[in-house]
Every structure is written in C-alpha cells, then in structure tokens.
C-alpha cells in the first residue's frame, strides 16, 4: 500500500455567491463540503487509479468527524481501497472557505490556522507512522504544519521512512521543506514559487538542479500549465501537455503527486511517470468537480504528452 | 418560563483577517465559534437577566451538535437556567461566517441558507411547540424561515400560542412577518427597514401605527442608535439613550427582545419596559464580545434613558 500523511487536514467549504463585496452581507447560494488537505486528495486519486492507500495525520472535534465521514463517502467504491488511519487530537480540525464569485469564477480563500498539536499527540503520531511504514511501498508527506509541531517535523518523518526503507515524497514549502530536503527524501514536488523561495533563483532549470543538490534524490518542479520539469539521477526532462488547459487548478498538484507515487511503486521509467503526472494533472484542471480528474480526458491526453530530454538539449 | 423559537439556528463563525481582499488567499488569525440564531441569543440574555428559558427550533448534523454544545457552554452558570429543547432534523445546521477586517473593524457576512425542513420534521416541531406552550409565560418567534417551511409558519405558531393563552413576540421580516401579523401576535419588533418593507412607509411613526393596525397588539420599532418607538394599546412612546453609543451592534436587537419579554412577564408598564430594552440594547453595543451585554453599562445607562410620550406631543 501507499501511505499519505496530512498533518493539517481541513474541512474544505466552497461557497458560491453572486459577487463578493467587502463589508456587505451575502446569501450563499451553494455550499459544497469536501475532505481537505493535500494528502487526502492524493489518496483519493490513488484510490481512483487502483492503488490501496492508507491516510494518516491528525483530525479532531466535530469538524474532524465530518472530514472522516466525507473521506469515507468520497472514497467508497474506488478500485483501490482508501483506509482511514488518522490520529485523534484534542483540538478541532480547521476549516477552509473558498468563496467563488458566480459571475467571474474568481475565488477568495479564507484558511483557518488549524489546532495546536501537543507533544504527546506528536509522539502518538510518530509511533503510528512508524507502524504504518511497515507494509508501505511509498509515503507522501503533504502540506503545511499545524501550530505546535516543530519545524523539522518533515525531516524527522523522512528519516523514519529512510530507516524503514520506504521512499518518501515531500510536498511542502518554506522552512519545513528546507529542513526536509536535508534529510534526503526520494522526491520533492515544489512549484516555481516554492522553489524560488528555497533556492533564491527564479530560473526553473537552475533552481531545480540546485534543490536536488540540497539532498533530494529527485526534484519534480511544477511549471503550472507548462507541465513538469524533473531533475533525477537518470537525467533531466520536461513534460508538457499538447496545449495549456483551462479550468479549475485546485488539486492539480495533488494529482501529479499521486501519479508520481504510482510510477514510483510501479517502477516505471521517468518519462512514463512524468507523462502520467502531466496528463492526470491536466485532466484534474478539466474536471468540473474541484480535485477530481476527468477519466476520459486523462486517457486521451496521455499519448499526447511531450517529454523532452533537457540534458540533451 | 419563557420560550424562544429559532427555526434556522446557525453556527456563527467570526474570522479575523488583516484585510479582506477579493480573489486573494487569507490566513485567518482568529476564529470565534458561537451558537447562532436570534432566539438563542435572546435566551442567553434572558438567562443572564435571571429568567428560566427554554430554547426550541431545529438543529442537525455535526454543526447542529456543535451549536448545542456551545449553547450549553455559553449558558452554564447563568442566574436563569436555559434548557435545550431543540428538535433534531436530518439536514445539517447552517454556518454563518463574519469576516472582520482587523484594521477597519468592518465586517463581511456570508450566510449559508440552512437545511431544508421536511413536512414530518415541521409536524414534529409543532407538536413539541404545543407541549412547550403549556408552562410558558411568553414565547419569542425569531429570525428567518429555513427552506421547506411554508411562508405562513409564524402565523401558524402565533395562532397556537394564542390558543394556549401565551403572548407571542414575533421578530422576523418580509412575507413571514406580513402573514404573522395577521394572526395577531402580542408584539412585533421590526427595524426601520423591515417596517418600510411591510408598510411601504419610511416615516417611522406612520409605519409603526400602520403595522399595529395590521393586527399586532403592540409594535416596537428599532430606530438603531436613536432607540425604540412603541405603539401600544396604552399609548405611543419613544425611548432613547442619553447619546448614541459606538461599538458592535451584533445582538443589540436580540437584547431588546429579551428585555421586552422580561417586561411582559413581569407586568411592568411600557415606559419601564422600553427603558430596559434601550439600556440593554446599548449595553450590548458597548460589550467587547458580540451578543453579550456589559452589565455595569446596563446599570449606569438605565436611569439615563429618556422616554417621551409621543401621543401627547
């Protein structure tokens, strides 16, 4: 099975309003509730691809119960089973609110900070994580750290995974990413902004190679609509869709992470992995439901992804 | 005891952000959760004033459980006990989100519509309401109707209260208010905008007397910072604070309703009732916590409220 970790899960709310006007009162015309947090999204996509997946991280309070119920409901019947191994905490899982203007489609995002995690809760989590590594073929460490967890938390989890011989994909930003890379994860998947913050360089090729020198075995950088750039022990590639796709980019990065994990456990070569990641990411942008992917778009896009060997260029 | 009815209860969330910018992403710096809905606020103030109160209406889902927990927590230890007689429903209680700009203090409000109520749930409620009327000295019918309830619902509840000999205060707006008045409630408490919508007149004296002719035994109109205007069988009065107060007006109208109910069951004369209502309302505006009232402000304001006999003017 594949393990995904989400330390700061969320109840994701999407509110549709005719138009958001600061300091006015709005009647919300549509409310959508989704289980939130990058690792939960990755697990749902892995389940849809047929991979058995275990979800861990923290949930608590009434919002946490709602997230667990929604996770079960949105993964029931997928070809790959998704198991809930979330660790209970005293605090309440946070909410995020995306306010969508019906007219323009523009989104205003409000993110609660999340509950503080106690040292005892962190210890309970690392014990659970260590047990779950026994049986995992890969692990994804996803998203921001909730309050109360030390900034080297992802570095600690990467070391535990390496000790257990389980390859770790790290998808975070800022100081947790910087510390995490130094613990030598199998793969990191920054976007251009996260990479620039890490390396100080806005030139993607230079920054991607620089990030790899900092300790990651491989670096796959998201270039948004232009696809992915990968610096790996086997070479340097850029994979791109036939044309940029238009739609809702929510969850596109999580779909890329799921495809990269699937390629890792299936042992496919890098060009194949990257093709799947770009096609799945584009098929997620094209889906009318945020965070889901359009299966027929995925299948039709897959043979049309171009992969260039940048080292040869 | 005094009974309060809230058909569309809510989990009220207050989000503090540095500044709300449409189409940007915001980290919420403070989250406050409160039990919401006018009748719940009225009950909390009545409890603080020493009146035993029963809360009914609908709650459901995880948000409903949170609302019930917060209602118990915020009314525990009050001099008047507040009892929870909320009726469970299949749908989930709505949320409201107030986004407060830390710099300006301005608020942007997002209100979920609320769950649809089935005919069986409405029947269960009216049965519970009828039982609760036996023992009630007054009843307050507060706020908007959730989806699925017929527009004459408040008129139906006013008639049930009259049949049981319990005076009913109706605090709603639009068509439910128009229908409700025709069933001859003891008291309505519109604000100037609600009254203008009902009567077509923006002139408060004319509109207040007009509303009374439509069937309400008495009409108390909120004039905002200028106090209250009352048309009653005993006369016409205006009560005003010594000076307009500045602060957070959230819940000020609910505090006025609580004071009017307390005056009704205590049998005080209209000028006394109006003085208490204006003082309690102003003390709510002055409280740092939205919906609470400042007890010392209430006591110091009470002797300074002016009540003018408008019929004599």
């Amino acid at each position: 099975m594949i393990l995904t970790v989400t330390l700061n899960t969320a109840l994701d709310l999407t509110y549709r309003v005719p138009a958001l006007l600061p300091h006015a009162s709005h009647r919300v015309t549509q409310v959508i509730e989704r289980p939130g947090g990058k690792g939960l999204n990755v697990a749902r996509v892995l389940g849809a691809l047929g991979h058995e997946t275990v979800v861990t991280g923290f949930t608590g309070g009434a919002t946490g119960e709602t997230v667990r119920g929604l996770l079960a409901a949105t993964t029931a019947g997928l070809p790959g089973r998704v198991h809930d191994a979330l660790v209970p905490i005293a605090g309440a899982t946070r909410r995020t609110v995306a306010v969508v203007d019906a007219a323009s489609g523009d989104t205003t995002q409000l993110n609660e900070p999340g509950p503080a995690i106690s040292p005892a809760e962190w210890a309970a989590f690392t014990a659970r994580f260590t047990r779950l590594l026994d049986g995992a073929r890969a692990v994804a460490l996803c998203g921001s750290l909730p309050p109360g967890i030390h900034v080297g938390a992802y570095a600690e989890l990467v070391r535990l995974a390496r000790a257990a011989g389980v390859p770790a994909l790290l998808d975070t930003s800022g100081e947790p990413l910087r510390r995490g890379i130094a613990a030598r994860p199998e793969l990191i998947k920054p976007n251009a902004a996260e990479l620039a913050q890490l390396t100080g360089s806005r030139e993607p090729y230079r920054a991607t190679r620089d990030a790899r020198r900092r300790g990651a075995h491989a670096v796959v950088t998201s270039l948004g609509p232009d696809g992915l750039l990968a610096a790996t022990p086997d070479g340097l590639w850029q994979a791109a869709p036939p044309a940029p796709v238009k739609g809702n980019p929510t969850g596109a990065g999580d779909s890329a992470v799921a495809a990269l994990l699937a390629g890792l456990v299936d042992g496919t070569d890098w060009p194949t992995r990257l093709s799947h990641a770009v096609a799945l990411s584009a098929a997620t942008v094209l889906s009318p439901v945020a965070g889901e992917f359009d299966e027929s778009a995925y299948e039709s896009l897959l043979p049309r992804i171009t992969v260039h060997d940048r080292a040869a260029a």
Side-chain angles (χ1 to χ4, degrees), chain A residues 234 237 263 266-276:
Chain A
D234 302 337
W237 286 278
D266 292 343
T268 56
D269 58 33
W270 273 104
T272 305
R273 286 187 208 182
L274 295 170
S275 294
H276 279 84

Side-chain angles (χ1 to χ4, degrees), chain A residues 3-7 54-58 85-87 125 128-129 132:
Chain A
L3 180 62
T4 78
V5 172
T6 314
L7 298 176
V54 174
V55 171
T56 190
F58 296 109
L86 291 157
V87 173
F125 172 77
R128 172 79 68 97
F129 178 73
L132 290 169

Side-chain angles (χ1 to χ4, degrees), chain A residues 219-235:
Chain A
V219 178
V220 176
T221 300
S222 166
L223 305 175
D226 296 327
L228 297 170
L229 179 66
T232 79
D234 302 337

Side-chain angles (χ1 to χ4, degrees), chain A residues 45 49 189 191 220-228 239-260 273-295 297-299 301-302 305:
Chain A
V45 176
L49 294 175
K189 194 216 64 65
N191 60 33
V220 176
T221 300
S222 166
L223 305 175
D226 296 327
L228 297 170
V245 294
K246 273 192 154 182
N248 186 343
T250 305
D254 302 328
S255 289
V257 167
L260 293 170
R273 286 187 208 182
L274 295 170
S275 294
H276 279 84
V278 170
L280 199 59
S281 194
T284 304
V285 174
L286 289 168
S287 167
V289 180
E292 305 277 336
F293 67 93
D294 181 316
E295 284 201 43
Y298 176 44
E299 282 169 30
L301 277 164
L302 192 53
I305 305 297

